[in-house]
Amino acid sequence: MTEQEAKERVQKLTQELNEHNYKYYILSHPTISDYEFDQLLKELEALEKEYPQLVDVNSPSQRVGGGITKKFNTVPHRYPMLSLGNTYNREELEEFDARVRKGLGIAANISATAGQAQLSFEAPQVDIQSEGVEYVCELKFDGLSISLTYENGELQRAVTRGDGTQGDDVTTNVKTIRSIPLKLQEGNWPSIFEIRGEIFMHRKTFDRLNEEYAAELREKGLDEEEILEKLYKNPRNFASGTLKQQNSADVAKRPLDAFLYFLYIDDNPFENHMESLQAASHWGFKVSDHAKVCKSLDEIYKFIDYWDKERHNLSYEIDGVVIKVNDYHQQEELGFTAKIPRWAISYKFKAESVSTILEKITYQVGRTGSITPVANLKPVQLAGTTVKRASLHNANEIERLDLREGDTVYVEKGGEIIPKITGVDTSKRKNEHAHLYITHCPECGTELIRKDGEANHYCPNDNGCPPQIVGKIIHFIGRKAMDIDNLGGETVEGLYKKGLIENASDLFSLTYDKLIGLEFEMSNEADDGKLKKRSLQEKSVQNILVGIEQSKQIPFERLLFGLGIRMVGETVAKKLAKAFGDIYKLSEATVEEMMLVDEIGDKIAESVYNYFRDSRTKFIIDKLSEAKVQLSMVDDENQLPQSNILEGKSFVISGVFAKHSRDELKGLIENNGGRNVGSISKSLNYLLAGDKMGPEKLKKASDLNIPIISEEDFEKMLLRN
Ligand code: IVH
């Protein structure tokens, strides 16, 4: 193929792909199969790979993403991106209508003046066409607003709202949104214009992606409470998180959609807003079908009431209705306040609330022993989903609401996944007794504790309480500890429930025969409400065993961290490992001996001391030793030089260095007996200064007469060794 032929083919493919994209995403009327579409796209991508000079910035191949944006450029908006005033009831809408009419010098709309609504059918209608105000009612999409600029029919730039005067340039990411045209359909669009709209994620996509993410986190061993914390709370948050991704290929994997609802053209050729929406739709934009011209307040109310109910049947979320004056001359006459247009307003729906019975309060024990009460409800439909449970957070919340089992409660779903109980219908109350919060752990029966000032109760039985035991084993296999890949939280829980492991050391007694074909339930439910099952197959068994075997090479300090001794984090584990050299010496050390180690205080020392006095610990260490894991430090030739030449000297490191990273410098200081400190004070011995360090630090150090040394000076200090 000659380059000329390639060019023609690229043009043809581009045009066809754009057309099919339009038919699929805007008209919802595809004329070819997904497979055929993919074939055309592949052909285009192959040609673009061979002839990179033919790649157009708006080629359909840009839809799959790949462009990376390290930091989004801030760009000013040509027209400020304003927000809208909010209304929450009919009175406020009537006031809006009255303000509009007053501003335009038009008589009140007698068909629905406040207090006379009943008269509306008998009352003579004002001739709206000549005298009235026409409004366009639209859905208020719950997403994030975007401003798109088109030049000569091609998308030039996409900018987020930002602070209203300037926003982030997210063009590369926006190009992955299939319903946003990269090239417009044939039409008489102006050579340059801006169009605004809302980017959102469909509910189904949100549920699917969040479910996938939850499964990933569950595999990593997080419990349900922690998972909920991490998940996106609603489709809007997910859409906004997605649009901020640096790699547009990641954006392409999380399908977004967009409705456009407002045109900005310098010499506006249209008479009114509705006309402009229709034109935008012809040019290839996705414009909602649900915009409606309303000629009276009653019509507006009808629109609102209809969508308040019907919204749950939409595939995306809306949080209200937007009401705009249709006529452009009237819009102009009304103008803007500093923040909002006077010709438009939003009406916000109330969060839907239902009542149901609180059947039972149960309690979950997290992997750290913290207790979460859960409201088990008589299943009820709310905002399009069946609600069975609500989180109650802690004992205070139950007390605050004075919740009792059997109560009729109000449940509300705000913008969050988990519904809330907002109140109790005490008139229906039969239960005379205030709810008694549990005093003992529902999993192991140990008496619960509640520390001063903390809202949560805890089960202190960290070595004997099942979820806590599982939590410890999961900590042991974690990436920063033994890093046993292929053995996720669900599997650990399953193995524990089957009685195959009781503590981390038992992992090393697992064999092929014990694992193969093992079946256990996953903690999430399948569609039929039953727990999902998983059975271990050949490949996973092999992977688990290999992972366990490889962990035997993990250095002692990480094993020590993995044991999950209270107060022993990564750094403390490193210090103790280095100071005592092996687990036996550490297990024999006194509290005082441990406290001699830098940064080990009495609390940590006591915690470690007690750990080794626990009868179960010896048993675990014996098993670990049998398994031949690393229970002592290995002399590493590559280790940093060691001495005590810097003993008693403290250092602050600041700036950028030519030869060593700051972490390396810190390591050198520690290995040679010195101490790293965070801030400059009178007692500091040296400020190790690199390039680009802050002038204030320099000044402070010289004011206090602290020696300021360079990287070379520092090296010389070590050479005296
Ligand atoms: S018109 C000057 N129409 O609601 C007119 N806004 O609370 C500006 N929104 O920032 C907006 N659906 O992000 C308009 N059909 C719609 C809308 C809509 C959602 C958002 C938009 C705006 C916010 C104002």
Side-chain angles (χ1 to χ4, degrees):
M1 192 183 280
T2 65
E3 184 170 342
Q4 186 53 32
E5 282 165 346
K7 190 172 172 190
E8 279 160 23
R9 184 68 189 145
V10 164
Q11 275 166 356
K12 179 104 195 339
L13 284 166
T14 300
Q15 193 231 334
E16 276 181 31
L17 282 162
N18 280 337
E19 197 52 37
H20 289 304
N21 193 71
Y22 175 69
K23 285 182 177 158
Y24 189 98
Y25 289 98
I26 310 287
L27 302 180
S28 304
H29 201 287
T31 51
I32 59 169
S33 68
D34 290 358
Y35 175 78
E36 286 165 306
F37 185 91
D38 285 343
Q39 291 308 104
L40 294 176
L41 186 61
K42 277 199 185 123
E43 189 186 342
L44 176 67
E45 284 171 339
L47 280 172
E48 289 183 339
K49 202 167 167 205
E50 198 177 337
Y51 302 94
Q53 66 276 27
L54 298 181
V55 182
D56 186 279
V57 285
N58 279 330
S59 159
S61 61
Q62 301 301 305
R63 299 275 195 204
V64 291
I68 311 259
T69 317
K70 274 255 150 24
K71 191 174 176 307
F72 299 108
N73 282 333
T74 312
V75 267
H77 292 298
R78 262 191 86 199
Y79 310 91
M81 270 180 105
L82 302 174
S83 61
L84 294 172
N86 290 323
T87 57
Y88 298 91
N89 53 47
R90 293 185 176 205
E91 287 73 43
E92 287 172 349
L93 270 182
E94 278 163 21
E95 284 162 23
F96 165 72
D97 178 57
R99 281 197 304 275
V100 167
R101 283 166 189 281
K102 192 165 172 229
L104 298 173
I106 298 176
N109 180 351
I110 6 182
S111 71
T113 313
Q116 297 187 2
Q118 278 91 329
L119 292 177
S120 63
F121 296 108
E122 286 92 329
Q125 295 268 338
V126 173
D127 179 357
I128 317 259
Q129 294 315 93
S130 57
E131 269 207 74
V133 189
E134 227 177 58
Y135 293 103
V136 177
C137 287
E138 292 172 21
L139 305 184
K140 186 169 183 323
F141 310 105
D142 196 8
L144 31 136
S145 38
I146 192 82
S147 157
L148 308 173
T149 305
Y150 283 79
E151 271 178 47
N152 302 319
E154 292 204 26
L155 175 66
Q156 281 303 318
R157 200 187 299 140
V159 185
T160 63
R161 176 165 168 206
D163 64 3
T165 49
Q166 51 181 27
D168 286 340
D169 183 335
V170 289
T171 314
T172 317
N173 286 348
V174 163
K175 282 185 181 172
T176 68
I177 303 174
R178 311 273 168 149
S179 54
I180 292 185
L182 303 178
K183 282 192 169 86
L184 298 181
Q185 297 293 305
E186 292 298 320
N188 55 346
W189 24 260
S191 61
I192 178 163
F193 67 92
E194 209 176 308
I195 189 163
R196 297 208 176 145
E198 203 84 354
I199 291 182
F200 63 93
M201 184 179 270
H202 287 272
R203 262 199 279 254
K204 276 222 166 79
T205 312
F206 169 76
D207 291 341
R208 174 172 63 81
L209 294 177
N210 243 1
E211 195 43 59
E212 282 171 17
Y213 188 35
E216 228 175 80
L217 296 173
R218 218 168 267 134
E219 256 317 289
K220 281 193 183 149
L222 277 70
D223 63 35
E224 296 303 307
E225 189 85 349
E226 292 165 320
I227 292 174
L228 265 179
E229 280 277 296
K230 284 207 177 295
L231 292 182
Y232 285 104
K233 300 285 175 272
N234 52 47
R236 176 166 39 82
N237 285 355
F238 213 141
S240 133
T242 302
L243 208 60
K244 286 187 196 133
Q245 295 290 311
Q246 292 187 335
N247 186 344
S248 61
D250 290 336
V251 183
K253 281 186 215 136
R254 303 168 169 195
L256 297 173
D257 203 345
F259 278 120
L260 283 311
Y261 49 62
F262 206 82
L263 268 175
Y264 279 96
I265 305 173
D266 277 349
D267 289 313
N268 193 342
F270 303 110
E271 281 298 314
N272 61 48
H273 177 60
M274 200 62 182
E275 237 179 52
S276 77
L277 288 181
Q278 279 153 0
S281 164
H282 285 129
W283 299 342
F285 291 106
K286 181 159 170 164
V287 175
S288 167
D289 288 338
H290 303 310
K292 186 170 183 290
V293 174
C294 290
K295 301 190 178 190
S296 68
L297 277 170
D298 283 336
E299 285 185 29
I300 296 179
Y301 298 153
K302 270 200 194 113
F303 185 90
I304 290 175
D305 290 344
Y306 176 79
W307 284 109
D308 196 0
K309 294 201 185 67
E310 201 45 35
R311 64 181 154 136
H312 305 302
N313 296 325
L314 290 168
S315 67
Y316 46 86
E317 296 201 331
I318 61 172
D319 58 345
V321 163
V322 179
I323 301 123
K324 301 172 184 170
V325 168
N326 193 16
D327 187 282
Y328 277 145
H329 297 104
Q330 291 183 336
Q331 281 192 10
E332 213 167 293
E333 211 173 322
L334 289 162
F336 297 84
T337 71
K339 284 197 208 126
I340 52 174
R342 289 200 188 87
W343 43 263
I345 200 132
S346 83
Y347 176 94
K348 291 263 196 130
F349 294 136
K350 288 184 195 66
E352 206 192 356
S353 171
V354 287
S355 73
T356 186
I357 309 284
L358 167 59
E359 291 182 329
K360 201 168 173 39
I361 296 177
T362 55
Y363 299 86
Q364 279 178 351
V365 186
R367 296 207 159 117
T368 53
S370 90
I371 309 289
T372 313
V374 179
N376 293 265
L377 306 166
K378 183 165 178 230
V380 62
Q381 281 300 113
L382 174 62
T385 52
T386 310
V387 174
K388 289 184 251 177
R389 272 183 288 265
S391 166
L392 293 170
H393 308 292
N394 54 50
N396 297 347
E397 180 75 357
I398 298 178
E399 213 172 290
R400 185 178 72 82
L401 294 163
D402 183 21
L403 285 181
R404 304 176 187 188
E405 286 178 351
D407 270 351
T408 300
V409 293
Y410 298 108
V411 185
E412 215 173 77
K413 212 166 177 184
E416 312 269 301
I417 312 175
I418 296 283
K420 277 198 300 215
I421 292 186
T422 51
V424 181
D425 182 351
T426 43
S427 71
K428 297 209 175 118
R429 173 167 283 169
K430 296 196 191 83
N431 189 342
E432 291 165 15
H433 306 286
H435 182 72
L436 286 180
Y437 204 79
I438 46 166
T439 51
H440 291 75
C441 175
E443 296 273 352
C444 72
T446 305
E447 191 171 352
L448 301 179
I449 51 168
R450 193 187 202 180
K451 290 187 199 128
D452 278 349
E454 278 187 19
N456 272 26
H457 286 74
Y458 283 91
C459 165
N461 181 18
D462 55 342
N463 279 319
C465 179
Q468 299 191 64
I469 293 175
V470 171
K472 280 193 162 215
I473 303 176
I474 290 171
H475 170 75
F476 184 76
I477 64 174
R479 198 161 292 161
K480 290 183 167 173
M482 299 297 270
D483 194 18
I484 304 183
D485 260 357
N486 312 311
L487 186 60
E490 293 271 331
T491 315
V492 168
E493 196 165 341
L495 293 173
Y496 172 74
K497 283 191 180 149
K498 294 271 174 196
L500 284 172
I501 51 175
E502 270 179 21
N503 62 56
S505 69
D506 292 336
L507 290 172
F508 298 96
S509 333
L510 292 174
T511 58
Y512 181 88
D513 290 343
K514 283 185 189 167
L515 294 175
I516 191 77
L518 208 62
E519 240 189 24
F520 34 72
E521 283 166 346
M522 315 283 277
S523 65
N524 55 335
E525 291 171 6
D527 289 342
D528 59 5
K530 292 195 186 118
L531 289 176
K532 281 189 200 161
K533 285 201 165 158
R534 170 176 180 206
S535 92
L536 286 182
Q537 301 301 317
E538 184 83 26
K539 194 148 180 15
S540 348
V541 171
Q542 293 293 3
N543 286 340
I544 292 173
L545 292 172
V546 167
I548 292 175
E549 195 54 36
Q550 284 171 348
S551 78
K552 294 179 181 173
Q553 302 311 320
I554 294 286
F556 172 50
E557 59 194 46
R558 280 173 55 188
L559 175 120
L560 187 58
F561 167 65
L563 290 177
I565 307 171
R566 262 175 205 247
M567 309 189 73
V568 179
E570 265 181 289
T571 321
V572 170
K574 243 184 227 168
K575 299 217 157 170
L576 289 173
K578 214 189 294 167
F580 292 93
D582 69 49
I583 201 151
Y584 303 104
K585 290 206 189 89
L586 180 62
S587 71
E588 283 158 14
T590 62
V591 169
E592 290 72 27
E593 281 166 341
M594 284 190 247
M595 283 173 66
L596 290 177
V597 181
D598 183 31
E599 281 183 46
I600 309 290
D602 56 346
K603 292 246 162 57
I604 300 179
E606 266 163 36
S607 166
V608 178
Y609 183 84
N610 290 337
Y611 175 79
F612 285 110
R613 299 299 162 292
D614 188 313
S615 57
R616 276 163 296 206
T617 304
K618 188 176 159 0
F619 181 74
I620 291 174
I621 293 176
D622 285 349
K623 272 195 99 172
L624 289 173
S625 155
E626 238 170 76
K628 301 207 164 48
V629 299
Q630 304 293 321
L631 293 176
S632 56
M633 294 294 275
V634 183
D635 287 330
D636 184 352
E637 286 169 17
N638 298 327
Q639 255 185 11
L640 299 165
Q642 297 229 353
S643 80
N644 48 14
I645 196 157
L646 303 179
E647 191 151 340
K649 302 273 186 278
S650 58
F651 292 80
V652 163
I653 303 179
S654 185
V656 189
F657 299 87
K659 293 193 196 155
H660 302 280
S661 73
R662 288 157 62 113
D663 278 343
E664 275 168 2
L665 290 171
K666 281 191 177 167
L668 282 167
I669 291 172
E670 271 182 27
N671 283 315
N672 290 286
R675 220 154 36 87
N676 290 295
V677 295
S679 61
I680 298 171
S681 69
K682 266 205 315 262
S683 58
L684 178 69
N685 295 103
Y686 296 102
L687 172 66
L688 178 43
D691 283 345
K692 295 191 192 144
M693 75 166 288
E696 282 186 18
K697 270 197 179 158
L698 266 178
K699 182 169 179 324
K700 190 163 181 196
S702 50
D703 285 352
L704 292 170
N705 271 333
I706 288 163
I708 299 169
I709 59 168
S710 69
E711 196 173 14
E712 285 73 35
D713 299 333
F714 176 69
E715 281 177 340
K716 278 183 206 145
M717 281 167 93
L718 292 182
L719 283 178
R720 271 185 260 138
N721 190 6

